[in-house]
Structure formats: structure tokens, C-alpha cells
Amino acid sequence: MPELGDSTAPPAASAGGSGSTSTNGPAVQLATSAAIEALLELATGTPGSPFHGGQVRFEKGEVVADGLAMPFGELLSSLDLPAVEATATSPRNRVKDHAFRSFGAHFCEARVNRWTMETRVTRWVCVADAGTIVNEKTARSQVIGGIVMGIGQALLEDLRLDTATGRFTNANLGDYLVPVNADIPPMDIHFLDYPDTLLSPLGARGIGEFGIVGAAAAIANAVHNATGQRVRDLPLTPEKLLT
Amino acid sequence: MELSRHGYADAPVGEAAQDALVFTVNGREERLRVDPRVTLLDALRERLGLTGTKKGCDRGQCGACTVHVDGRRVLACLTLAVAVRGRSVTTIEGVCGHPVQRAFVECDGFQCGFCTPGQIMSAVAVVEDGRARTDEEIREAMSGNICRCGAYPNIVDAVQTAMNQDERDRSGVRVVRDAAV
């Protein structure tokens, strides 16, 4: 029987508004530092510890002093402890004279069939400045997903309302078109990965909602470049380009 | 109930409708008594507890319900359970550890994961069929599986990875396959 809302994950800032990593990340970072500090205090302050009374540092998962390096798990076991814990709070950002936004540029190549006016997107490049990129693999996938949605917005998606009844007339995937695999070109995504330390020590800003912004505009500009036609009504269907 | 006039070639007729439906799922024989109108999708999920196959639209438009019947991809939501009498059905639960599944993880070919069982079942068929080799052909062959999270480029990478395990450039430089790039 599935239980809704049952999770072992702790309460955290919600995954929305492109704020999850930028908000939870610094707190995790601080708590990790505090836990390492607590570990090193245990190492030097516990009688019987191989590091008792000495000078220690933490390197690559190991507690290190002159001539001795021990993985932290081994140290905890030797002190008969199951774990070391710490709590930390990341401070609220109080910078008043700066706004924090992620920025980027979309470059889109599109081809428009000269007779049918069908538009196909053939190449895409996106360069983003979102501060520190914590996970390059998933960050790239997130931006790609946004661009795919932008291609849908620009060329395919059209929700039609029956004004007499207020109901949607094309509420199914056969009539409301979302991009399929063959609609999507190869994508080249780059991040500057430049830490925004004014925001937090982690330096990560947001990319959750980033990818779709400006994607449809890039496509519309490419269509204008190809056809000379400026269409400001999405989706850019062949009918709108056939004059 | 006379079913033959509806054109279900393999459906039981008359008294035979009382017999249990016998078919193989992931190598295991199953016997079910089903109403003739039950879809293969509902039989797998509700009767056999194989909930890996997903119901995205229940009308053959999204591909989330993709399974194999005798090795060929079908949409389980548009297949009657009685139509697979005597046949061999493979679901996502039956391809655990397949190189395609590993490739999807390696290439991050998913986000929410809802379309992923269908994508993997399609990808397994595309790889085993072997006729789609270029990125363009793979995209076309995989277009029956919609992904709203937009993982398509990574899905294409995953299919290529699974197909070209030996041919991949081991120096770590990503092999550029598309002529257009």
C-alpha cells in the first residue's frame, strides 16, 4: 500500500523556483564542515584516540597527522562510536545591492521548408552562467529538458479552448503535440561554472527553470532569419508562415 | 459471448472464454481468468503486480506502456490480454541488468523516470533489431516514446552506447556521430 508523504529525507527548502540547490547546498556544506570539525575534536580530544592531543587535518576522507592517516570510519570504530553528527544553519542572504540571477544565451539553427513552411530545429548551443555547477551531468540534462520544452512551445504546443463551454478540445497527446525524439537536434550545453560567492560560499545559483527561457525566442528569430517573416503568435505552425 | 466477429484472432470463443488465459511473462507461465476487454497493460499491472509498465495515456499515444510480445514492441494499453494467449511477454522487470538499462544510467537518459520503462523496452528492441545505426535513425525509431522531461538527446546517447560498446572511442573523447554537428 503506497503511503503518500512518507520519506526518510529531511525537511528542506522546496525544489521549486530554481532555489533547491542554491538554498539547500550551502546548508549542507556548512553542516558537513561542522561534522568534520566535530570529528577532528573527537580525534584529538578523546583519550585512547591515536590522534589524542595532536594536530590533525581532514584530507580526502581521512584524519591526518604527522605520519598517521586514518579513514574516518576506522577512527570512529576505534573510538567505539557509530557516527559523528553536527547541525549548522546557513545564514539568510542579506546583500541588498545585488540581484542574483542565472544568465545565458541560446543559439539555434532552424531550417524552414520553402514550400511547406515546416520548421525543423537542427542544432542548438546554450551557454549558461549559473554560478557553481554542483553536478554537471544533471545540470546539463535539466537545461536540455528546458530547451526541449521550448521547442514544443515554439513549434508544436497549442491548447485550444472551446469558448462556448470553456473546455479544452485537444486534451490528449495526439492533438496537443509535445516534442518527440525526432524533433530534437544534437545539443551543445556549456556552463561557465564560475562561483557566485556573493550569494553563498557554495556559489551555486539556479538552473531549474533556466532552459526554457528564451528558447522559443531563439527559434522565432531563426525562422525570421530564414523566411523574413516575424511571427509573434506561438506555435509557429506552417499555416502562420504560408502567406 | 461471440468474440470472433470482433476480429481477435487469438481470442477464445464461446465456452472457451471460461478457460484461463495462459501466457508467459518474463519467462514465467501465468494463468489468469480475464474479461475479454481487459488490456494487457491492466492485466500486467493490476493482476500480476508488474507495475514497472506505466499507464501514461491509455490510448496508444505516449508509449509508456511499451512491452515486448514475442520479441516485438507493442503498446500494452492497446493490446487485449486475451490476444497474448500462448505468447511470450517481456516487461521492464524482465530486462534487469541489460546493457541498455546500464547505458541509460550512464548517459543520464531519464529525469522523472516515468517514461523510462517504455523507453528502455523500445531501446532494447531497436538495439536488438540493429537496423537503426545513425543518430537520425535512432531518433526516428524511438519517437514512439514521449518524454516530457526532454531527455531525448541522452536517450539517443544511451542507445548508441548500448549498440557500440566495443566501438566507442576509449580515449574519452566523445565520438561525434551527427554529420550536421
Side-chain angles (χ1 to χ4, degrees):
Chain A
M1 177 69 116
E3 287 185 17
L4 298 180
D6 177 22
S7 170
T8 55
S14 66
S18 298
S20 177
T21 301
S22 58
T23 307
N24 294 312
V28 169
Q29 230 182 7
L30 285 175
T32 307
S33 297
I36 290 170
E37 228 177 270
L39 173 75
L40 296 181
E41 262 170 44
L42 277 173
T44 57
T46 312
S49 156
F51 299 95
H52 182 47
Q55 299 268 51
V56 290
R57 58 187 189 279
F58 191 73
E59 261 173 34
K60 296 188 177 146
E62 295 187 325
V63 180
V64 181
D66 294 319
L68 179 60
M70 190 182 274
F72 73 87
E74 214 178 288
L75 175 62
L76 288 173
S77 299
S78 77
L79 299 176
D80 206 21
L81 292 168
V84 62
E85 272 185 28
T87 308
T89 308
S90 61
R92 179 184 287 278
N93 183 289
R94 296 196 187 281
V95 174
K96 294 277 185 255
D97 54 357
H98 286 81
F100 299 95
R101 295 288 184 271
S102 292
F103 303 93
H106 285 302
F107 300 85
C108 154
E109 179 186 85
R111 296 182 187 173
V112 183
N113 186 292
R114 75 177 76 208
W115 295 289
T116 66
M117 292 293 157
E118 183 195 356
T119 304
R120 307 293 305 170
V121 180
T122 49
R123 282 195 294 176
W124 202 286
V125 174
C126 177
V127 183
D129 177 2
T132 304
I133 297 298
V134 174
N135 185 327
E136 213 251 295
K137 184 180 258 195
T138 53
R140 178 180 172 271
S141 296
Q142 183 68 9
V143 172
I144 286 173
I147 295 168
V148 171
M149 292 182 189
I151 291 172
Q153 179 188 28
L155 300 173
L156 297 164
E157 297 181 41
D158 189 6
L159 193 59
R160 296 197 206 108
L161 198 64
D162 172 8
T163 51
T165 61
R167 302 189 63 161
F168 298 123
T169 62
N170 60 335
N172 68 85
L173 288 167
D175 296 319
Y176 183 91
L177 306 179
V178 299
V180 297
N181 208 317
D183 294 319
I184 303 305
M187 293 201 192
D188 203 2
I189 315 294
H190 296 271
F191 297 99
L192 299 191
D193 201 5
Y194 186 75
D196 188 343
T197 50
L198 207 54
L199 177 62
S200 72
L202 177 60
R205 291 200 300 263
I207 51 150
E209 298 158 297
F210 178 86
I212 197 173
V213 179
I219 295 168
N221 284 340
V223 168
H224 175 252
N225 180 256
T227 66
Q229 294 191 61
R230 181 69 73 190
V231 181
R232 291 201 167 86
D233 177 39
L234 299 181
L236 292 168
T237 55
E239 305 91 87
K240 293 176 185 168
L241 294 167
L242 287 160
T243 45
Chain B
M1 184 188 310
E2 273 198 27
L3 297 161
S4 56
R5 79 167 94 101
H6 294 274
Y8 307 136
D10 296 303
V13 179
E15 298 235 331
Q18 301 309 310
D19 295 340
L21 168 67
V22 181
F23 62 111
T24 309
V25 181
N26 300 327
R28 195 180 127 137
E29 189 183 272
E30 301 286 352
R31 310 176 74 86
L32 294 177
R33 275 230 158 72
V34 291
D35 184 292
R37 293 163 292 182
V38 171
T39 62
L40 176 59
L41 179 60
D42 283 332
L44 290 170
R45 289 181 55 84
E46 308 294 330
R47 300 290 298 276
L48 298 175
L50 295 169
T51 53
T53 311
K54 304 303 181 194
K55 180 177 291 195
C57 68
D58 212 18
R59 49 166 86 193
Q61 292 172 337
C62 76
C65 66
T66 306
V67 296
H68 298 171
V69 175
D70 289 345
R72 294 187 68 224
R73 312 187 251 183
V74 302
L75 298 172
C77 71
L78 292 184
T79 305
L80 292 176
V82 292
V84 302
R85 153 184 289 234
R87 299 193 187 277
S88 167
V89 175
T90 312
T91 69
I92 186 68
E93 289 89 347
V95 296
C96 253
H98 196 285
V100 164
Q101 192 185 46
R102 284 203 302 274
F104 266 73
V105 175
E106 187 185 310
C107 298
D108 200 30
F110 57 94
Q111 286 199 40
C112 78
F114 191 83
C115 75
T116 309
Q119 299 282 359
I120 289 176
M121 295 312 288
S122 272
V124 168
V126 167
V127 169
E128 285 177 5
D129 177 85
R131 277 174 296 172
R133 301 296 311 187
T134 65
D135 281 5
E136 186 113 2
E137 289 166 344
I138 290 168
R139 283 186 200 113
E140 199 64 43
M142 293 294 293
S143 282
N145 296 87
I146 291 180
C147 171
R148 193 44 159 163
C149 294
Y152 297 128
N154 290 349
I155 289 170
V156 174
D157 273 359
V159 175
Q160 283 284 14
T161 298
M163 274 204 303
N164 304 327
Q165 305 255 13
D166 299 322
E167 296 163 42
R168 228 165 136 66
D169 182 349
R170 303 239 172 249
S171 70
V173 173
R174 186 177 173 281
V175 176
V176 176
R177 301 179 304 263
D178 283 287
V181 174

